[in-house]
């Protein structure tokens, strides 16, 4: 089967009509990128809805409220009181035949916001034929891709993690995979039919026999009924216990989420405290800047003060040092016409003129004396302002740094907030109480199951003893030989068929182990392979690996290695189901790189395109980097790339990032 196109109308997050083309031929990889909640898994849901009419996935809990119609379209329809038509069309080919399959339904919202689904319809066209009968369409699709095989062309992180967790869920998943892979329903039906025939023959023998042999056969019939009833009850008990195990694991996961949430809250609180400290530091700097406001006018006038200082210095430049002689005393000398040495001189003489010059200089000195305090004050103020300007510059730099620190811390807080877990329902005490009740109920069921198993073993042992005794009594019985011969042949057929089924199952399990190990060798790094020598499926269907000494080693490998093991096992299931080395199924992988190292990333990208016909990667932007994109392009495997973009609440738009050559 090769997928070509998928068109969705009002399906899940995809409002209106939106389409995706799937890469094929040499370019077999289609990449669909989008953050969680954008609708990556919704695309796989649309494929299953179109092919099989499935409205739920295996990973959906029983209590999950899965809404198929687009929420925005429902709101609009509620306003105009009209139903929403949901349509999904998928085009695919098998061999040379191209199929176009369309499924649709009508959805409406009642007065109490109850969702009503009606008018489900389907149309399949191929080879100029058109089929609208659901049963006939399902029959055609099943011949192309068995409904049971849909479980093996979708990988999601949760399922891959679950496959390597030692639990009843894991054993159930592995067992279901093997049983679906064996496809021995007809053999199982034949086994049941032979058991019915054997019982009928034994009843005929009982009616035609007498004495002790008759009593033996009567007791055998009673024991067989008891054994069948005990087996049925044991199966029901086992199924109930498995559901309890699932419930226990779910409650444990909730408790783990609380623990993770508690840790996340601690980190969030710490980061909030750091943010608060950053805000306080920023506020402190701002307050210091506010105090600088009183100096800002003077700082702004600093250049003007420099000009005043320069002017005063220019004015005072060339000033003669003061003689210490006052102007009045010099005037007295001129009036007396007597020199300081008591020598007389004439008016207008050289001495007279010299004293006049000295008087003039003394007057100028007296005039400039008033500028010295101003010069001193100006110089002192300039010095103070130089310090304040430097302080202001340092404050502004501090303010820049603390603001940057605060902004970075706000980003950190937002990132941490985005990773916080949503509050789960109930309290830890309630969850623990529920889990304890589940374990208590499980213990009582297990006790009853063990009692049933003991009773079953006793009944089977007694039945075997009776059969041995019956073989001895047959020779002494007067029963018709033909009836005895019939019983022998029926019992022989039952034993042979049971042995065939067991041999087939064991053979397939060994082959599954080999193929899974082969995949593992391609995907794991060399260092990991030194500790893992064999993939093993245990008798209880749990998955295990062995080291070089034949010891169970699963508990010792990393989460990334466990994920690779899950990928290897599921891929092996799909490969064997297809009957070819290349998987003739579209392989969907939802966030497969979560816990893988870069080397495992590259191994996966190199290997998977060689074992499947189409690979659809549903990834986040962080998972699928330019390195992986370049790697796929270099190998010639990358076809189409799409980005899922949220336009508004409940609405995702599919945008084309890259279109491959083979469209």
């Amino acid at each position: 089967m090769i997928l070509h196109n998928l068109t969705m109308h009002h399906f899940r997050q995809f409002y209106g009509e939106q389409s995706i083309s799937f890469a094929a031929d040499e370019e077999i990889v289609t990449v669909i990128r989008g953050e969680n909640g954008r609708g990556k898994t919704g695309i796989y849901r649309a494929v299953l809805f179109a092919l099989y009419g499935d409205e739920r996935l295996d990973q959906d809990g029983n209590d999950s409220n899965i809404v198929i119609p687009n929420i925005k379209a429902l709101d609009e329809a509620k306003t105009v009181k009209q139903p929403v038509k949901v349509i999904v069309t998928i085009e695919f080919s098998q061999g040379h035949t191209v199929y176009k399959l369309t499924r649709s339904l009508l959805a409406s919202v009642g007065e109490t916001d109850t969702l009503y689904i009606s008018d489900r319809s389907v149309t399949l066209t191929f080879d100029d034929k058109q089929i609208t009968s659901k049963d006939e369409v399902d029959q055609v699709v099943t011949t192309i891709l068995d409904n049971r095989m849909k479980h093996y062309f979708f990988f999601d992180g949760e399922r891959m993690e679950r496959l390597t967790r030692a639990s009843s869920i894991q054993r159930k998943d592995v067992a279901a995979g093997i049983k679906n892979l064996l496809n021995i329903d007809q053999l199982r039906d034949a086994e049941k039919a032979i058991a019915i025939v054997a019982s009928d023959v034994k009843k005929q023998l009982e009616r035609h026999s007498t004495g002790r042999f008759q009593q033996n056969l009567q007791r055998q019939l009673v024991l067989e009924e008891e054994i069948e009833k005990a087996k049925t009850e044991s199966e029901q008990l086992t199924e109930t216990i498995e559901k309890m195990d699932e419930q226990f694991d779910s409650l444990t996961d909730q408790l783990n989420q609380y623990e993770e949430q508690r840790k996340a809250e601690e980190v969030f609180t710490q980061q909030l405290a750091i943010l608060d400290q950053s805000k306080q530091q920023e506020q402190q700097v701002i307050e210091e800047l506010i105090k600088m406001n009183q100096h800002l006018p003077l700082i702004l006038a600093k250049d003007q003060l420099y000009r005043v200082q320069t002017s005063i210095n220019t004015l005072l430049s060339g000033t003669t040092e003061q003689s210490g002689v006052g102007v009045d005393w010099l005037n007295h000398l001129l009036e007396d016409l007597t020199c300081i040495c008591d020598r007389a001189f004439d008016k207008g003489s050289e001495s007279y003129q010299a004293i006049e010059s000295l008087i003039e200089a003394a007057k100028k000195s007296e005039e400039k004396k008033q500028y010295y305090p101003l010069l001193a004050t100006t110089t002192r103020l300039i010095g103070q302002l130089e310090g304040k300007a430097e302080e202001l510059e340092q404050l502004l730099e501090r303010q820049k740094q603390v603001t940057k620190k605060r902004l970075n811390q706000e980003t950190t807080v937002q990132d941490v907030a985005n990773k916080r877990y949503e509050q789960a329902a109930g309290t830890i005490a309630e969850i623990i109480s529920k889990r304890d009740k589940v374990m208590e109920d499980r213990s009582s069921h297990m006790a009853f199951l063990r009692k049933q198993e003991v009773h079953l073993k006793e009944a089977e042992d007694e039945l075997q003893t009776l059969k041995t005794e019956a073989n001895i009594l047959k020779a002494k019985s007067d029963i018709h030989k033909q009836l005895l011969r019939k019983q022998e042949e029926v019992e022989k057929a039952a034993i042979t068929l049971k042995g065939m089924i067991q041999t087939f199952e064991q053979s397939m399990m060994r082959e599954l182990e080999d193929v899974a190990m082969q995949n593992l060798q391609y995907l794991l790094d060399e260092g990991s392979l030194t500790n893992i020598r064999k993939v093993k499926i245990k008798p209880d269907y749990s998955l295990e690996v062995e080291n070089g000494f034949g010891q169970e080693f699963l508990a010792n490998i990393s989460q990334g290695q466990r994920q690779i093991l899950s990928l290897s096992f599921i891929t092996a299931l799909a490969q064997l189901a297809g009957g070819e080395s290349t998987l003739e199924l579209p392989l969907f992988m939802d966030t497969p790189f979560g816990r893988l190292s870069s080397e495992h990333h590259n191994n996966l990208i190199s290997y998977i395109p060689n074992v499947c016909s189409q690979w659809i990667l549903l990834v986040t932007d962080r998972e699928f980097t330019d390195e992986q994109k370049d790697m796929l392009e270099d190998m010639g495997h990358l076809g189409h790339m799409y980005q899922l973009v949220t336009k508004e609440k409940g609405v995702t738009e599919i945008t084309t990032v890259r279109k491959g050559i083979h469209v």
Side-chain angles (χ1 to χ4, degrees):
M1 169 189 266
I2 299 294
L3 300 181
H4 297 296
N5 296 291
L6 176 71
T7 301
M8 300 167 287
H9 180 265
H10 289 338
F11 184 87
R12 298 285 289 171
Q13 292 96 327
F14 304 102
Y15 177 80
E17 184 171 295
Q18 300 193 56
S19 299
I20 281 182
S21 295
F22 297 102
D25 298 324
E26 293 88 359
E27 297 177 338
I28 68 168
V29 180
T30 302
V31 178
I32 302 170
R33 294 193 306 189
E35 295 306 306
N36 294 330
R38 299 292 190 273
K40 298 190 299 296
T41 308
I43 291 171
Y44 174 66
R45 287 181 185 274
V47 171
L48 286 194
F49 175 77
L51 289 175
Y52 304 105
D54 293 352
E55 297 177 19
R56 303 179 70 87
L57 301 181
D58 286 347
Q59 64 261 38
D60 295 333
N62 294 329
D63 298 330
S64 301
N65 185 22
I66 304 301
V67 179
I68 293 298
N70 179 264
I71 295 175
K72 179 181 178 181
L74 280 176
D75 289 340
E76 292 175 348
K78 185 178 179 181
T79 302
V80 297
K81 296 183 178 180
Q82 292 291 329
V84 173
K85 188 162 189 177
V86 178
I87 308 171
V88 179
T89 299
I90 189 166
E91 295 181 38
F92 60 94
S93 60
Q94 177 76 7
H96 298 292
T97 305
V98 178
Y99 299 84
K100 184 175 182 180
L101 177 57
T102 299
R103 290 188 194 263
S104 65
L105 57 80
L106 289 180
S108 57
V109 180
E111 294 295 331
T112 59
D113 288 337
T114 303
L115 182 63
Y116 297 97
I117 304 296
S118 61
D119 293 341
R120 291 179 174 85
S121 63
V122 59
T123 302
L124 176 64
T125 58
F126 65 99
D127 292 342
D128 297 327
K129 299 178 184 177
Q130 185 177 85
I131 304 174
T132 57
S133 166
K134 179 182 180 302
D135 291 340
E136 291 181 25
V137 170
D138 291 345
Q139 185 176 0
V140 172
V141 173
T142 298
T143 59
I144 299 171
L145 182 61
D146 194 305
N147 187 33
R148 292 171 299 185
M149 290 299 102
K150 67 187 179 186
H151 302 288
Y152 308 113
F153 65 84
F154 179 70
F155 294 49
D156 68 289
E158 181 181 349
R159 185 184 183 199
M160 287 186 285
E161 190 276 332
R162 191 174 65 223
L163 267 178
T164 54
R165 182 197 299 174
S167 67
S168 62
I169 302 175
Q170 179 228 43
R171 293 189 292 273
K172 185 177 180 181
D173 209 357
V174 174
I178 293 172
K179 290 174 182 177
N180 286 336
L181 176 63
L182 293 173
N183 195 16
I184 54 176
D185 292 348
Q186 291 181 342
L187 288 177
R188 295 292 186 191
D189 290 341
E191 188 178 26
K192 292 177 182 177
I194 290 176
I196 293 172
V197 172
S199 178
D200 288 341
V201 171
K202 191 170 289 185
K203 288 177 181 178
Q204 292 178 43
L205 281 172
E206 184 268 331
R207 286 196 298 270
H208 290 83
S209 62
T210 59
R212 189 175 172 184
F213 185 62
Q214 184 183 45
Q215 294 174 358
N216 181 295
L217 293 178
Q218 288 175 344
R219 180 58 181 165
Q220 282 192 45
L221 289 170
V222 170
L223 285 173
E224 286 174 349
E225 289 181 2
E226 288 182 4
I227 289 171
E228 189 62 34
K229 182 180 178 182
K231 284 182 177 179
T232 301
E233 290 179 352
S234 294
E235 289 175 359
Q236 292 173 347
L237 281 169
T238 301
E239 186 176 342
T240 301
I241 290 170
E242 286 177 348
K243 289 180 179 178
M244 289 178 175
D245 286 340
E246 291 180 19
Q247 189 178 1
F248 180 85
D249 289 341
S250 175
L251 291 169
T252 300
D253 287 341
Q254 289 183 44
L255 288 175
N256 291 336
Q257 285 181 357
Y258 269 109
E259 178 62 21
E260 292 297 322
Q261 183 181 4
R262 184 187 64 77
K263 292 179 181 178
E265 288 296 332
E266 286 181 358
V267 173
F268 184 66
T269 302
Q270 292 170 358
Q271 295 300 328
L272 279 179
I274 296 173
L275 176 60
D276 186 58
Q277 186 179 11
S278 299
K279 288 181 177 179
Q280 290 178 10
Q281 292 174 350
E282 185 180 26
Q283 184 61 35
Q284 183 180 353
V285 175
I286 291 173
E287 289 175 358
E288 292 182 37
L289 283 171
I290 292 173
K291 291 179 181 178
M292 290 290 294
N293 285 345
Q294 57 183 321
H295 303 293
L296 288 180
L298 290 175
I299 292 174
L300 294 173
K302 187 175 67 172
D303 292 341
Q304 185 64 32
L305 288 172
Y306 271 118
R307 286 193 289 271
V308 170
Q309 184 188 48
T310 302
S311 299
I312 294 174
N313 285 330
T314 302
L315 180 65
L316 296 178
S317 64
T319 302
T320 306
E321 290 293 332
Q322 294 187 35
S323 62
V325 180
V327 175
D328 291 342
W329 186 73
L330 292 172
N331 282 330
H332 179 68
L333 291 178
L334 289 179
E335 290 175 1
D336 293 344
L337 297 176
T338 303
C339 186
I340 58 176
C341 59
D342 290 333
R343 183 175 64 83
F345 58 84
D346 296 327
K347 190 175 183 178
S349 65
E350 185 177 343
S351 296
Y352 189 90
Q353 291 175 354
I355 291 174
E356 282 185 330
S357 297
L358 189 58
I359 289 172
E360 192 63 32
K363 285 181 179 180
K364 289 181 179 180
S365 180
E366 289 288 341
E367 290 174 359
K368 292 180 179 180
K369 188 187 295 184
Q370 61 183 323
Y371 290 102
Y372 283 105
L374 178 59
L375 178 61
T377 302
T378 303
T379 302
R380 185 173 63 254
L381 184 56
I382 288 174
Q384 291 175 347
L385 292 179
E386 286 288 357
K388 292 297 180 183
E390 185 178 349
E391 183 181 348
L392 177 62
E393 187 176 344
Q394 291 175 350
L395 280 173
L396 289 173
E397 181 62 26
R398 278 179 57 198
Q399 188 267 336
K400 179 181 177 182
Q401 294 298 326
V402 296
T403 299
K404 181 180 178 181
K405 181 179 178 182
R406 188 258 304 166
L407 291 173
N408 289 339
Q409 187 59 27
E410 284 181 347
T411 301
T412 300
V413 168
Q414 186 59 48
D415 290 342
V416 173
N418 291 338
K419 295 176 183 177
R420 293 161 71 198
Y421 289 89
E422 293 182 359
Q423 185 70 20
T427 64
I428 293 178
E430 290 174 344
I431 295 174
I432 292 175
S433 176
K434 288 180 181 178
R435 193 175 67 164
D436 290 344
K437 181 66 167 60
V438 169
M439 287 305 296
E440 182 182 343
D441 292 343
R442 185 185 186 279
S443 296
S444 62
H445 280 74
M446 281 297 298
F448 190 58
L449 178 60
R450 284 191 290 269
K451 185 178 179 181
Q452 284 287 83
E453 289 173 346
V454 170
H455 174 66
L456 180 61
K457 181 67 169 56
E458 291 174 348
E460 288 176 339
D461 289 344
E462 184 182 352
L463 180 61
Q464 187 59 45
T465 301
L466 289 171
K467 286 182 177 180
T468 302
E469 181 185 345
N471 289 332
I472 298 173
L473 294 173
K474 282 178 184 178
K476 302 177 182 179
S477 176
D478 296 330
I479 301 174
H480 196 283
K481 300 297 181 182
Q482 185 178 357
L483 200 54
L484 284 173
R485 177 68 176 170
K486 183 177 180 181
Q487 184 197 28
E488 290 173 357
E489 292 299 326
V490 170
E491 288 180 347
K492 187 185 297 183
I495 293 171
T496 301
L497 186 57
K498 185 176 182 179
M500 287 174 55
I501 293 174
Q502 289 177 344
T503 301
F504 182 39
E505 185 175 22
Q506 290 298 317
S507 174
M508 188 60 71
M509 287 172 67
R510 300 294 80 81
E511 187 175 358
L512 185 57
E513 289 174 346
D514 292 341
V515 176
M517 187 61 206
Q518 183 180 16
N519 292 339
L520 198 63
Q521 288 173 334
Y522 279 106
L523 295 176
L524 277 181
D525 58 271
E526 188 174 346
S528 299
L529 285 172
T530 59
N531 294 320
I532 300 176
R533 297 298 176 86
K534 182 180 179 181
V535 175
K536 182 179 178 181
I537 302 170
K538 298 170 70 174
D540 64 352
Y541 294 107
S542 59
L543 199 59
E544 185 56 78
V545 293
E546 291 182 354
N547 61 16
F549 301 101
Q551 299 168 323
E552 294 184 356
F553 201 70
L554 180 62
N556 300 293
I557 67 176
S558 68
Q559 288 295 334
Q561 291 168 334
R562 286 170 182 253
Q563 192 170 21
I564 288 293
L565 172 62
S566 296
L567 282 167
S568 301
F569 178 73
I570 300 176
T571 305
L573 276 173
Q575 286 172 275
L576 292 180
E580 301 288 342
S581 59
T582 299
L583 174 62
E584 296 296 333
L585 296 173
L587 189 60
F588 285 79
M589 286 192 182
D590 190 354
T591 58
F593 304 130
R595 294 173 175 167
L596 300 185
S597 66
S598 58
E599 185 173 358
H600 289 153
H601 274 201
N602 296 339
N603 289 345
L604 188 65
I605 287 173
S606 299
Y607 180 59
I608 294 298
N610 298 317
V611 296
C612 65
S613 56
Q614 282 181 295
W615 192 18
I616 297 94
L617 275 171
L618 310 172
V619 293
T620 64
D621 292 335
R622 291 184 298 277
E623 278 191 301
F624 191 79
T625 64
D626 289 339
E627 181 183 354
Q628 279 89 48
K629 175 177 175 291
D630 294 342
M631 189 174 177
L632 282 171
E633 284 182 329
D634 292 342
M635 292 188 298
H637 293 316
L638 183 60
H640 310 322
M641 279 186 64
Y642 298 93
Q643 187 76 34
L644 303 183
V645 181
T646 298
K647 306 303 292 184
E648 57 182 284
K649 184 178 180 181
V651 176
T652 293
E653 184 176 288
I654 303 172
T655 60
T656 303
V657 177
R658 183 187 192 277
K659 207 70 175 173
I661 297 174
H662 303 280
V663 180

